[in-house]
Amino acid sequence: MQHIRSSEITPEHVYLSRRRFIGSAAALGAALALGACGATPAAAPATPLDGRTDELGDRLNSFEQITTYNNYYEFTTDKQQVARLARDFRISPWEVAVGGLVRSPRVFALEDLLGFEQEERIYRLRCVEGWSMVIPWQGFPLRRLLAGVEPLASARYVRFETVLRPEEMPGQRDRFYPWPYVEGLRLDEAMHDLTLLATGLYGRSLTPQNGAPLRLVAPWKYGFKSIKAIVRIDLVDQMPRSLWMTVAPEEYGFYANVNPDVPHPRWSQATERRIGEGGRRPTLPFNGYAEQVAALYAGLDLRVNY
Ligand SMILES: Nc1nc2c(c(=O)[nH]1)N[C@H]1C(S)=C(S)[C@@H](COP(=O)(O)O)O[C@H]1N2
Ligand SMILES: [Mo]
């Protein structure tokens, strides 16, 4: 995400607190080919996967790139410092409570989540700031978890919440942001096969800076929808209000589908910088996943529903 730098678009007190803020400034499955089992330390780059590509022929970003350039405001707004600050973040034990409008609410331990059959998915990640990467995740489709808790007919949205642990997450001591981080999906988006709960990366356990032990990945949406370190998942009947909708509603909507035709109020979304490449490349509608997901939005004005 990017700081608001223009005083026109936010109330003055928000603008000023942002100025102050600026001033202070795995799971294995398919990846068994790598020979790792269980929770492997995520240390050295997994070079065997370098050189592979996604379905569009774009090369994977390196493990190094993916784990040293991160957005994770619970730790810091400095992308290059997230890895260091998140290094000792405790990811075990971990529980995820799944409830709300469901017949069978349940608390999943991390071990339960790793019990879902894990698969590898190579996805592009497009940040609303205008950069992107290609990342080989491991995980399982969210819909499998949701099916297990039996959503009620009244459930229309899914609300996700990140852990609240200011003692371990220095960014959460900044009271400007309405912690914990919250995100949401429409239920049909959540049930889409592309929507992944990621538990690993590059054939290894997920690194803390990338959202260990469990993060969402919705690859056709801007990166901020892909919430990290999830501890609660609730089925609800009202559209959840995300942290970013609360902080800057005119800049960040609920849908956040990657759309080169709808500029962010302060910058174009027409092109992006692929980390590791020079220059910029065109941004694709729905981040290149239009064929799979465009039908979800038939009849919806994507300029209004940004
Ligand atoms: N809890 C939480 N989740 C988060 C964020 C965050 O600050 N906190 N940043 C988001 C943003 S803006 C992006 S672009 C992606 C970055 O994921 P990565 O660091 O794994 O590349 O995480 C998203 N998920
Ligand atoms: Mo982002």
Side-chain angles (χ1 to χ4, degrees), residues 1 66 69-74 125-128 131 133 135 137 162 179 181 209-211 215 223-229 244:
M1 302 299 297
I66 295 165
Y69 189 85
N70 301 101
N71 268 335
Y72 204 165
Y73 276 26
E74 283 86 341
L125 178 122
R126 168 62 156 83
C127 177
V128 72
W131 54 267
M133 297 200 207
I135 304 180
W137 303 105
T162 293
W179 309 111
Y181 200 99
Q209 61 268 38
N210 294 94
R215 65 94 56 87
F224 65 83
K225 296 296 287 184
S226 292
I227 181 173
K228 298 178 172 181
W244 289 111

PDB file of all heavy atoms in Angstrom, residues 1 66 69-74 125-128 131 133 135 137 162 179 181 209-211 215 223-229 244, ligand 1:
ATOM      1  N   MET A   1       0.848  -1.174   0.000  1.00  0.00           N
ATOM      2  CA  MET A   1       0.000   0.000   0.000  1.00  0.00           C
ATOM      3  C   MET A   1       0.885   1.225   0.000  1.00  0.00           C
ATOM      4  O   MET A   1       2.045   1.166   0.284  1.00  0.00           O
ATOM      5  CB  MET A   1      -0.884   0.039   1.244  1.00  0.00           C
ATOM      6  CG  MET A   1      -1.758  -1.180   1.390  1.00  0.00           C
ATOM      7  SD  MET A   1      -2.908  -1.406   0.053  1.00  0.00           S
ATOM      8  CE  MET A   1      -3.870   0.061   0.253  1.00  0.00           C
ATOM      9  N   ILE A  66      11.020 -12.638  -3.301  1.00  0.00           N
ATOM     10  CA  ILE A  66       9.697 -12.794  -2.693  1.00  0.00           C
ATOM     11  C   ILE A  66       9.748 -12.609  -1.178  1.00  0.00           C
ATOM     12  O   ILE A  66       8.775 -12.172  -0.566  1.00  0.00           O
ATOM     13  CB  ILE A  66       9.118 -14.189  -3.063  1.00  0.00           C
ATOM     14  CG1 ILE A  66       8.882 -14.264  -4.577  1.00  0.00           C
ATOM     15  CG2 ILE A  66       7.835 -14.474  -2.299  1.00  0.00           C
ATOM     16  CD1 ILE A  66       8.657 -15.683  -5.090  1.00  0.00           C
ATOM     17  N   TYR A  69      11.087  -8.327  -0.100  1.00  0.00           N
ATOM     18  CA  TYR A  69      10.385  -7.121  -0.554  1.00  0.00           C
ATOM     19  C   TYR A  69       8.914  -7.353  -0.231  1.00  0.00           C
ATOM     20  O   TYR A  69       8.189  -7.999  -0.990  1.00  0.00           O
ATOM     21  CB  TYR A  69      10.608  -6.945  -2.061  1.00  0.00           C
ATOM     22  CG  TYR A  69      10.124  -5.637  -2.630  1.00  0.00           C
ATOM     23  CD1 TYR A  69      10.925  -4.497  -2.589  1.00  0.00           C
ATOM     24  CD2 TYR A  69       8.870  -5.536  -3.234  1.00  0.00           C
ATOM     25  CE1 TYR A  69      10.490  -3.298  -3.125  1.00  0.00           C
ATOM     26  CE2 TYR A  69       8.426  -4.336  -3.785  1.00  0.00           C
ATOM     27  CZ  TYR A  69       9.244  -3.226  -3.726  1.00  0.00           C
ATOM     28  OH  TYR A  69       8.811  -2.040  -4.270  1.00  0.00           O
ATOM     29  N   ASN A  70       8.483  -6.883   0.926  1.00  0.00           N
ATOM     30  CA  ASN A  70       7.166  -7.273   1.438  1.00  0.00           C
ATOM     31  C   ASN A  70       6.369  -6.083   1.937  1.00  0.00           C
ATOM     32  O   ASN A  70       6.928  -5.130   2.474  1.00  0.00           O
ATOM     33  CB  ASN A  70       7.328  -8.244   2.622  1.00  0.00           C
ATOM     34  CG  ASN A  70       8.086  -9.497   2.222  1.00  0.00           C
ATOM     35  OD1 ASN A  70       9.282  -9.627   2.501  1.00  0.00           O
ATOM     36  ND2 ASN A  70       7.419 -10.406   1.550  1.00  0.00           N
ATOM     37  N   ASN A  71       5.076  -6.175   1.805  1.00  0.00           N
ATOM     38  CA  ASN A  71       4.178  -5.247   2.484  1.00  0.00           C
ATOM     39  C   ASN A  71       3.548  -5.974   3.662  1.00  0.00           C
ATOM     40  O   ASN A  71       2.903  -7.026   3.481  1.00  0.00           O
ATOM     41  CB  ASN A  71       3.074  -4.762   1.522  1.00  0.00           C
ATOM     42  CG  ASN A  71       3.466  -3.480   0.819  1.00  0.00           C
ATOM     43  OD1 ASN A  71       4.282  -2.710   1.316  1.00  0.00           O
ATOM     44  ND2 ASN A  71       2.867  -3.245  -0.341  1.00  0.00           N
ATOM     45  N   TYR A  72       3.741  -5.424   4.842  1.00  0.00           N
ATOM     46  CA  TYR A  72       3.208  -6.048   6.058  1.00  0.00           C
ATOM     47  C   TYR A  72       3.269  -4.978   7.139  1.00  0.00           C
ATOM     48  O   TYR A  72       4.212  -4.887   7.913  1.00  0.00           O
ATOM     49  CB  TYR A  72       4.065  -7.265   6.423  1.00  0.00           C
ATOM     50  CG  TYR A  72       3.408  -8.345   7.253  1.00  0.00           C
ATOM     51  CD1 TYR A  72       4.009  -9.608   7.352  1.00  0.00           C
ATOM     52  CD2 TYR A  72       2.211  -8.139   7.952  1.00  0.00           C
ATOM     53  CE1 TYR A  72       3.444 -10.627   8.085  1.00  0.00           C
ATOM     54  CE2 TYR A  72       1.637  -9.162   8.693  1.00  0.00           C
ATOM     55  CZ  TYR A  72       2.268 -10.400   8.763  1.00  0.00           C
ATOM     56  OH  TYR A  72       1.715 -11.422   9.497  1.00  0.00           O
ATOM     57  N   TYR A  73       2.227  -4.139   7.143  1.00  0.00           N
ATOM     58  CA  TYR A  73       2.240  -2.940   7.981  1.00  0.00           C
ATOM     59  C   TYR A  73       2.226  -3.251   9.471  1.00  0.00           C
ATOM     60  O   TYR A  73       2.556  -2.383  10.281  1.00  0.00           O
ATOM     61  CB  TYR A  73       1.067  -2.034   7.597  1.00  0.00           C
ATOM     62  CG  TYR A  73       1.370  -1.125   6.420  1.00  0.00           C
ATOM     63  CD1 TYR A  73       2.312  -1.465   5.464  1.00  0.00           C
ATOM     64  CD2 TYR A  73       0.710   0.101   6.297  1.00  0.00           C
ATOM     65  CE1 TYR A  73       2.589  -0.612   4.399  1.00  0.00           C
ATOM     66  CE2 TYR A  73       0.979   0.965   5.240  1.00  0.00           C
ATOM     67  CZ  TYR A  73       1.917   0.595   4.295  1.00  0.00           C
ATOM     68  OH  TYR A  73       2.188   1.445   3.254  1.00  0.00           O
ATOM     69  N   GLU A  74       1.877  -4.477   9.846  1.00  0.00           N
ATOM     70  CA  GLU A  74       1.965  -4.832  11.265  1.00  0.00           C
ATOM     71  C   GLU A  74       3.406  -4.766  11.759  1.00  0.00           C
ATOM     72  O   GLU A  74       3.652  -4.635  12.955  1.00  0.00           O
ATOM     73  CB  GLU A  74       1.434  -6.257  11.500  1.00  0.00           C
ATOM     74  CG  GLU A  74      -0.084  -6.368  11.494  1.00  0.00           C
ATOM     75  CD  GLU A  74      -0.659  -6.558  10.106  1.00  0.00           C
ATOM     76  OE1 GLU A  74       0.035  -6.255   9.108  1.00  0.00           O
ATOM     77  OE2 GLU A  74      -1.811  -7.023  10.013  1.00  0.00           O
ATOM     78  N   LEU A 125       1.242 -11.798  -8.387  1.00  0.00           N
ATOM     79  CA  LEU A 125       0.757 -10.916  -7.320  1.00  0.00           C
ATOM     80  C   LEU A 125       0.962  -9.479  -7.781  1.00  0.00           C
ATOM     81  O   LEU A 125       2.078  -9.098  -8.121  1.00  0.00           O
ATOM     82  CB  LEU A 125       1.519 -11.170  -6.009  1.00  0.00           C
ATOM     83  CG  LEU A 125       1.104 -10.252  -4.848  1.00  0.00           C
ATOM     84  CD1 LEU A 125       0.635 -11.075  -3.666  1.00  0.00           C
ATOM     85  CD2 LEU A 125       2.227  -9.333  -4.424  1.00  0.00           C
ATOM     86  N   ARG A 126      -0.112  -8.716  -7.845  1.00  0.00           N
ATOM     87  CA  ARG A 126      -0.049  -7.333  -8.328  1.00  0.00           C
ATOM     88  C   ARG A 126      -0.440  -6.395  -7.191  1.00  0.00           C
ATOM     89  O   ARG A 126      -1.593  -6.387  -6.739  1.00  0.00           O
ATOM     90  CB  ARG A 126      -0.999  -7.186  -9.523  1.00  0.00           C
ATOM     91  CG  ARG A 126      -1.300  -5.760  -9.997  1.00  0.00           C
ATOM     92  CD  ARG A 126      -0.080  -5.011 -10.473  1.00  0.00           C
ATOM     93  NE  ARG A 126      -0.407  -3.934 -11.401  1.00  0.00           N
ATOM     94  CZ  ARG A 126      -0.817  -2.708 -11.042  1.00  0.00           C
ATOM     95  NH1 ARG A 126      -0.947  -2.379  -9.779  1.00  0.00           N
ATOM     96  NH2 ARG A 126      -1.079  -1.804 -11.978  1.00  0.00           N
ATOM     97  N   CYS A 127       0.527  -5.629  -6.725  1.00  0.00           N
ATOM     98  CA  CYS A 127       0.245  -4.655  -5.670  1.00  0.00           C
ATOM     99  C   CYS A 127      -0.340  -3.392  -6.289  1.00  0.00           C
ATOM    100  O   CYS A 127       0.066  -2.976  -7.379  1.00  0.00           O
ATOM    101  CB  CYS A 127       1.514  -4.333  -4.892  1.00  0.00           C
ATOM    102  SG  CYS A 127       1.281  -3.065  -3.628  1.00  0.00           S
ATOM    103  N   VAL A 128      -1.255  -2.768  -5.575  1.00  0.00           N
ATOM    104  CA  VAL A 128      -1.894  -1.542  -6.046  1.00  0.00           C
ATOM    105  C   VAL A 128      -0.876  -0.405  -6.196  1.00  0.00           C
ATOM    106  O   VAL A 128      -1.118   0.582  -6.883  1.00  0.00           O
ATOM    107  CB  VAL A 128      -3.053  -1.150  -5.081  1.00  0.00           C
ATOM    108  CG1 VAL A 128      -2.501  -0.630  -3.750  1.00  0.00           C
ATOM    109  CG2 VAL A 128      -4.016  -0.161  -5.710  1.00  0.00           C
ATOM    110  N   TRP A 131       3.655  -2.594  -8.549  1.00  0.00           N
ATOM    111  CA  TRP A 131       4.702  -3.600  -8.774  1.00  0.00           C
ATOM    112  C   TRP A 131       4.065  -4.983  -8.713  1.00  0.00           C
ATOM    113  O   TRP A 131       2.953  -5.151  -8.211  1.00  0.00           O
ATOM    114  CB  TRP A 131       5.840  -3.471  -7.749  1.00  0.00           C
ATOM    115  CG  TRP A 131       5.424  -3.503  -6.312  1.00  0.00           C
ATOM    116  CD1 TRP A 131       5.124  -2.433  -5.507  1.00  0.00           C
ATOM    117  CD2 TRP A 131       5.223  -4.675  -5.496  1.00  0.00           C
ATOM    118  NE1 TRP A 131       4.765  -2.857  -4.256  1.00  0.00           N
ATOM    119  CE2 TRP A 131       4.821  -4.223  -4.214  1.00  0.00           C
ATOM    120  CE3 TRP A 131       5.346  -6.050  -5.710  1.00  0.00           C
ATOM    121  CZ2 TRP A 131       4.530  -5.093  -3.160  1.00  0.00           C
ATOM    122  CZ3 TRP A 131       5.066  -6.917  -4.669  1.00  0.00           C
ATOM    123  CH2 TRP A 131       4.665  -6.447  -3.414  1.00  0.00           C
ATOM    124  N   MET A 133       4.927  -9.579  -8.864  1.00  0.00           N
ATOM    125  CA  MET A 133       5.845 -10.717  -8.808  1.00  0.00           C
ATOM    126  C   MET A 133       5.097 -11.957  -9.273  1.00  0.00           C
ATOM    127  O   MET A 133       3.868 -11.961  -9.333  1.00  0.00           O
ATOM    128  CB  MET A 133       6.324 -10.985  -7.375  1.00  0.00           C
ATOM    129  CG  MET A 133       7.127  -9.891  -6.737  1.00  0.00           C
ATOM    130  SD  MET A 133       8.087 -10.570  -5.354  1.00  0.00           S
ATOM    131  CE  MET A 133       8.245  -9.109  -4.341  1.00  0.00           C
ATOM    132  N   ILE A 135       4.787 -15.871  -8.018  1.00  0.00           N
ATOM    133  CA  ILE A 135       5.111 -16.580  -6.774  1.00  0.00           C
ATOM    134  C   ILE A 135       4.564 -18.008  -6.803  1.00  0.00           C
ATOM    135  O   ILE A 135       3.381 -18.208  -7.086  1.00  0.00           O
ATOM    136  CB  ILE A 135       4.504 -15.822  -5.568  1.00  0.00           C
ATOM    137  CG1 ILE A 135       5.011 -14.373  -5.554  1.00  0.00           C
ATOM    138  CG2 ILE A 135       4.822 -16.553  -4.264  1.00  0.00           C
ATOM    139  CD1 ILE A 135       4.478 -13.534  -4.402  1.00  0.00           C
ATOM    140  N   TRP A 137       3.189 -20.671  -4.736  1.00  0.00           N
ATOM    141  CA  TRP A 137       2.635 -20.936  -3.399  1.00  0.00           C
ATOM    142  C   TRP A 137       2.362 -22.423  -3.235  1.00  0.00           C
ATOM    143  O   TRP A 137       2.122 -23.119  -4.220  1.00  0.00           O
ATOM    144  CB  TRP A 137       1.305 -20.218  -3.214  1.00  0.00           C
ATOM    145  CG  TRP A 137       1.304 -18.741  -3.404  1.00  0.00           C
ATOM    146  CD1 TRP A 137       0.819 -18.057  -4.485  1.00  0.00           C
ATOM    147  CD2 TRP A 137       1.773 -17.739  -2.485  1.00  0.00           C
ATOM    148  NE1 TRP A 137       0.955 -16.696  -4.291  1.00  0.00           N
ATOM    149  CE2 TRP A 137       1.539 -16.480  -3.067  1.00  0.00           C
ATOM    150  CE3 TRP A 137       2.358 -17.798  -1.216  1.00  0.00           C
ATOM    151  CZ2 TRP A 137       1.875 -15.284  -2.441  1.00  0.00           C
ATOM    152  CZ3 TRP A 137       2.683 -16.617  -0.584  1.00  0.00           C
ATOM    153  CH2 TRP A 137       2.451 -15.373  -1.197  1.00  0.00           C
ATOM    154  N   THR A 162      -6.524 -10.721  10.753  1.00  0.00           N
ATOM    155  CA  THR A 162      -5.126 -11.024  11.086  1.00  0.00           C
ATOM    156  C   THR A 162      -4.944 -11.023  12.601  1.00  0.00           C
ATOM    157  O   THR A 162      -5.677 -10.353  13.324  1.00  0.00           O
ATOM    158  CB  THR A 162      -4.205  -9.960  10.449  1.00  0.00           C
ATOM    159  OG1 THR A 162      -4.258 -10.084   9.039  1.00  0.00           O
ATOM    160  CG2 THR A 162      -2.754 -10.094  10.904  1.00  0.00           C
ATOM    161  N   TRP A 179      -6.203  -1.581  13.746  1.00  0.00           N
ATOM    162  CA  TRP A 179      -5.879  -3.003  13.863  1.00  0.00           C
ATOM    163  C   TRP A 179      -6.988  -3.753  14.575  1.00  0.00           C
ATOM    164  O   TRP A 179      -7.642  -3.162  15.408  1.00  0.00           O
ATOM    165  CB  TRP A 179      -4.547  -3.182  14.617  1.00  0.00           C
ATOM    166  CG  TRP A 179      -3.427  -2.361  14.091  1.00  0.00           C
ATOM    167  CD1 TRP A 179      -2.819  -1.302  14.696  1.00  0.00           C
ATOM    168  CD2 TRP A 179      -2.753  -2.538  12.825  1.00  0.00           C
ATOM    169  NE1 TRP A 179      -1.818  -0.801  13.891  1.00  0.00           N
ATOM    170  CE2 TRP A 179      -1.765  -1.538  12.734  1.00  0.00           C
ATOM    171  CE3 TRP A 179      -2.912  -3.438  11.759  1.00  0.00           C
ATOM    172  CZ2 TRP A 179      -0.932  -1.414  11.628  1.00  0.00           C
ATOM    173  CZ3 TRP A 179      -2.089  -3.313  10.669  1.00  0.00           C
ATOM    174  CH2 TRP A 179      -1.110  -2.314  10.610  1.00  0.00           C
ATOM    175  N   TYR A 181      -5.823  -5.998  11.058  1.00  0.00           N
ATOM    176  CA  TYR A 181      -6.062  -5.978   9.616  1.00  0.00           C
ATOM    177  C   TYR A 181      -7.268  -6.867   9.321  1.00  0.00           C
ATOM    178  O   TYR A 181      -7.361  -7.986   9.833  1.00  0.00           O
ATOM    179  CB  TYR A 181      -4.830  -6.543   8.924  1.00  0.00           C
ATOM    180  CG  TYR A 181      -4.638  -6.211   7.446  1.00  0.00           C
ATOM    181  CD1 TYR A 181      -3.774  -5.196   7.065  1.00  0.00           C
ATOM    182  CD2 TYR A 181      -5.256  -6.966   6.448  1.00  0.00           C
ATOM    183  CE1 TYR A 181      -3.539  -4.916   5.712  1.00  0.00           C
ATOM    184  CE2 TYR A 181      -5.025  -6.690   5.099  1.00  0.00           C
ATOM    185  CZ  TYR A 181      -4.164  -5.660   4.750  1.00  0.00           C
ATOM    186  OH  TYR A 181      -3.929  -5.397   3.417  1.00  0.00           O
ATOM    187  N   GLN A 209       7.403 -13.181   6.973  1.00  0.00           N
ATOM    188  CA  GLN A 209       7.173 -11.935   6.233  1.00  0.00           C
ATOM    189  C   GLN A 209       6.139 -12.089   5.115  1.00  0.00           C
ATOM    190  O   GLN A 209       5.547 -11.118   4.672  1.00  0.00           O
ATOM    191  CB  GLN A 209       8.494 -11.379   5.666  1.00  0.00           C
ATOM    192  CG  GLN A 209       9.224 -12.269   4.693  1.00  0.00           C
ATOM    193  CD  GLN A 209      10.242 -13.181   5.355  1.00  0.00           C
ATOM    194  OE1 GLN A 209      10.009 -13.703   6.446  1.00  0.00           O
ATOM    195  NE2 GLN A 209      11.376 -13.385   4.700  1.00  0.00           N
ATOM    196  N   ASN A 210       5.910 -13.310   4.672  1.00  0.00           N
ATOM    197  CA  ASN A 210       4.913 -13.542   3.622  1.00  0.00           C
ATOM    198  C   ASN A 210       3.563 -13.965   4.187  1.00  0.00           C
ATOM    199  O   ASN A 210       2.651 -14.295   3.428  1.00  0.00           O
ATOM    200  CB  ASN A 210       5.421 -14.562   2.605  1.00  0.00           C
ATOM    201  CG  ASN A 210       6.613 -14.041   1.828  1.00  0.00           C
ATOM    202  OD1 ASN A 210       7.757 -14.279   2.192  1.00  0.00           O
ATOM    203  ND2 ASN A 210       6.364 -13.285   0.767  1.00  0.00           N
ATOM    204  N   GLY A 211       3.440 -13.985   5.520  1.00  0.00           N
ATOM    205  CA  GLY A 211       2.123 -14.207   6.108  1.00  0.00           C
ATOM    206  C   GLY A 211       1.933 -15.511   6.838  1.00  0.00           C
ATOM    207  O   GLY A 211       0.803 -15.935   7.061  1.00  0.00           O
ATOM    208  N   ARG A 215      -2.046 -17.491   4.987  1.00  0.00           N
ATOM    209  CA  ARG A 215      -2.486 -16.234   4.376  1.00  0.00           C
ATOM    210  C   ARG A 215      -3.369 -16.549   3.176  1.00  0.00           C
ATOM    211  O   ARG A 215      -3.301 -17.626   2.595  1.00  0.00           O
ATOM    212  CB  ARG A 215      -1.302 -15.347   4.017  1.00  0.00           C
ATOM    213  CG  ARG A 215      -0.322 -15.808   2.962  1.00  0.00           C
ATOM    214  CD  ARG A 215      -0.555 -15.352   1.553  1.00  0.00           C
ATOM    215  NE  ARG A 215      -0.654 -13.965   1.209  1.00  0.00           N
ATOM    216  CZ  ARG A 215       0.347 -13.147   0.913  1.00  0.00           C
ATOM    217  NH1 ARG A 215       1.584 -13.555   0.993  1.00  0.00           N
ATOM    218  NH2 ARG A 215       0.119 -11.936   0.511  1.00  0.00           N
ATOM    219  N   GLY A 223      -2.947  -6.835  -4.248  1.00  0.00           N
ATOM    220  CA  GLY A 223      -2.292  -7.611  -3.197  1.00  0.00           C
ATOM    221  C   GLY A 223      -2.846  -7.391  -1.799  1.00  0.00           C
ATOM    222  O   GLY A 223      -2.811  -8.301  -0.969  1.00  0.00           O
ATOM    223  N   PHE A 224      -3.392  -6.194  -1.542  1.00  0.00           N
ATOM    224  CA  PHE A 224      -3.829  -5.930  -0.160  1.00  0.00           C
ATOM    225  C   PHE A 224      -5.003  -6.795   0.264  1.00  0.00           C
ATOM    226  O   PHE A 224      -5.263  -6.949   1.462  1.00  0.00           O
ATOM    227  CB  PHE A 224      -4.117  -4.434   0.058  1.00  0.00           C
ATOM    228  CG  PHE A 224      -5.268  -3.841  -0.721  1.00  0.00           C
ATOM    229  CD1 PHE A 224      -6.564  -3.955  -0.276  1.00  0.00           C
ATOM    230  CD2 PHE A 224      -5.023  -3.140  -1.906  1.00  0.00           C
ATOM    231  CE1 PHE A 224      -7.620  -3.375  -0.978  1.00  0.00           C
ATOM    232  CE2 PHE A 224      -6.063  -2.548  -2.614  1.00  0.00           C
ATOM    233  CZ  PHE A 224      -7.367  -2.678  -2.156  1.00  0.00           C
ATOM    234  N   LYS A 225      -5.723  -7.392  -0.729  1.00  0.00           N
ATOM    235  CA  LYS A 225      -6.806  -8.301  -0.344  1.00  0.00           C
ATOM    236  C   LYS A 225      -6.264  -9.593   0.255  1.00  0.00           C
ATOM    237  O   LYS A 225      -6.976 -10.295   0.974  1.00  0.00           O
ATOM    238  CB  LYS A 225      -7.661  -8.664  -1.579  1.00  0.00           C
ATOM    239  CG  LYS A 225      -8.400  -7.518  -2.215  1.00  0.00           C
ATOM    240  CD  LYS A 225      -9.442  -6.903  -1.306  1.00  0.00           C
ATOM    241  CE  LYS A 225     -10.681  -7.756  -1.119  1.00  0.00           C
ATOM    242  NZ  LYS A 225     -11.695  -7.022  -0.289  1.00  0.00           N
ATOM    243  N   SER A 226      -5.017  -9.925  -0.068  1.00  0.00           N
ATOM    244  CA  SER A 226      -4.453 -11.222   0.332  1.00  0.00           C
ATOM    245  C   SER A 226      -3.880 -11.129   1.736  1.00  0.00           C
ATOM    246  O   SER A 226      -2.670 -11.013   1.954  1.00  0.00           O
ATOM    247  CB  SER A 226      -3.402 -11.669  -0.690  1.00  0.00           C
ATOM    248  OG  SER A 226      -4.037 -11.979  -1.918  1.00  0.00           O
ATOM    249  N   ILE A 227      -4.749 -11.208   2.691  1.00  0.00           N
ATOM    250  CA  ILE A 227      -4.458 -10.948   4.107  1.00  0.00           C
ATOM    251  C   ILE A 227      -3.563 -12.033   4.710  1.00  0.00           C
ATOM    252  O   ILE A 227      -3.739 -13.220   4.429  1.00  0.00           O
ATOM    253  CB  ILE A 227      -5.790 -10.790   4.875  1.00  0.00           C
ATOM    254  CG1 ILE A 227      -5.587 -10.490   6.356  1.00  0.00           C
ATOM    255  CG2 ILE A 227      -6.679 -12.026   4.693  1.00  0.00           C
ATOM    256  CD1 ILE A 227      -6.898 -10.158   7.086  1.00  0.00           C
ATOM    257  N   LYS A 228      -2.644 -11.574   5.544  1.00  0.00           N
ATOM    258  CA  LYS A 228      -1.627 -12.463   6.139  1.00  0.00           C
ATOM    259  C   LYS A 228      -1.991 -12.867   7.567  1.00  0.00           C
ATOM    260  O   LYS A 228      -2.785 -12.204   8.233  1.00  0.00           O
ATOM    261  CB  LYS A 228      -0.278 -11.736   6.161  1.00  0.00           C
ATOM    262  CG  LYS A 228       0.230 -11.371   4.763  1.00  0.00           C
ATOM    263  CD  LYS A 228       1.543 -10.616   4.822  1.00  0.00           C
ATOM    264  CE  LYS A 228       2.116 -10.450   3.418  1.00  0.00           C
ATOM    265  NZ  LYS A 228       3.402  -9.734   3.430  1.00  0.00           N
ATOM    266  N   ALA A 229      -1.333 -13.909   8.044  1.00  0.00           N
ATOM    267  CA  ALA A 229      -1.416 -14.347   9.456  1.00  0.00           C
ATOM    268  C   ALA A 229      -2.855 -14.371   9.965  1.00  0.00           C
ATOM    269  O   ALA A 229      -3.211 -13.722  10.955  1.00  0.00           O
ATOM    270  CB  ALA A 229      -0.536 -13.452  10.330  1.00  0.00           C
ATOM    271  N   TRP A 244      -8.418  -1.135   4.899  1.00  0.00           N
ATOM    272  CA  TRP A 244      -8.138  -0.077   3.923  1.00  0.00           C
ATOM    273  C   TRP A 244      -9.384   0.708   3.558  1.00  0.00           C
ATOM    274  O   TRP A 244      -9.299   1.907   3.277  1.00  0.00           O
ATOM    275  CB  TRP A 244      -7.449  -0.663   2.685  1.00  0.00           C
ATOM    276  CG  TRP A 244      -6.055  -1.065   3.042  1.00  0.00           C
ATOM    277  CD1 TRP A 244      -5.563  -2.332   3.127  1.00  0.00           C
ATOM    278  CD2 TRP A 244      -4.986  -0.196   3.426  1.00  0.00           C
ATOM    279  NE1 TRP A 244      -4.254  -2.307   3.540  1.00  0.00           N
ATOM    280  CE2 TRP A 244      -3.870  -1.015   3.726  1.00  0.00           C
ATOM    281  CE3 TRP A 244      -4.854   1.187   3.551  1.00  0.00           C
ATOM    282  CZ2 TRP A 244      -2.638  -0.488   4.142  1.00  0.00           C
ATOM    283  CZ3 TRP A 244      -3.631   1.716   3.960  1.00  0.00           C
ATOM    284  CH2 TRP A 244      -2.554   0.882   4.243  1.00  0.00           C
TER     285      TRP A 244
HETATM  286  N1  LIG B   1      -2.100  -8.575   7.593  1.00  0.00           N
HETATM  287  C1  LIG B   1      -1.605  -7.987   6.490  1.00  0.00           C
HETATM  288  N2  LIG B   1      -1.786  -8.583   5.299  1.00  0.00           N
HETATM  289  C2  LIG B   1      -1.290  -8.006   4.174  1.00  0.00           C
HETATM  290  C3  LIG B   1      -0.633  -6.744   4.238  1.00  0.00           C
HETATM  291  C4  LIG B   1      -0.462  -6.143   5.518  1.00  0.00           C
HETATM  292  O1  LIG B   1       0.120  -5.049   5.665  1.00  0.00           O
HETATM  293  N3  LIG B   1      -0.946  -6.799   6.612  1.00  0.00           N
HETATM  294  N4  LIG B   1      -0.192  -6.141   3.073  1.00  0.00           N
HETATM  295  C5  LIG B   1      -0.883  -6.532   1.844  1.00  0.00           C
HETATM  296  C6  LIG B   1      -0.263  -5.990   0.637  1.00  0.00           C
HETATM  297  S1  LIG B   1      -0.489  -4.334   0.349  1.00  0.00           S
HETATM  298  C7  LIG B   1       0.378  -6.784  -0.278  1.00  0.00           C
HETATM  299  S2  LIG B   1       0.919  -6.158  -1.759  1.00  0.00           S
HETATM  300  C8  LIG B   1       0.659  -8.208   0.021  1.00  0.00           C
HETATM  301  C9  LIG B   1       2.149  -8.460  -0.090  1.00  0.00           C
HETATM  302  O2  LIG B   1       2.425  -9.835   0.085  1.00  0.00           O
HETATM  303  P1  LIG B   1       3.928 -10.347   0.063  1.00  0.00           P
HETATM  304  O3  LIG B   1       4.691  -9.563   1.081  1.00  0.00           O
HETATM  305  O4  LIG B   1       3.841 -11.803   0.395  1.00  0.00           O
HETATM  306  O5  LIG B   1       4.456 -10.102  -1.320  1.00  0.00           O
HETATM  307  O6  LIG B   1       0.231  -8.594   1.330  1.00  0.00           O
HETATM  308  C10 LIG B   1      -1.014  -8.054   1.715  1.00  0.00           C
HETATM  309  N5  LIG B   1      -1.459  -8.635   2.972  1.00  0.00           N
END
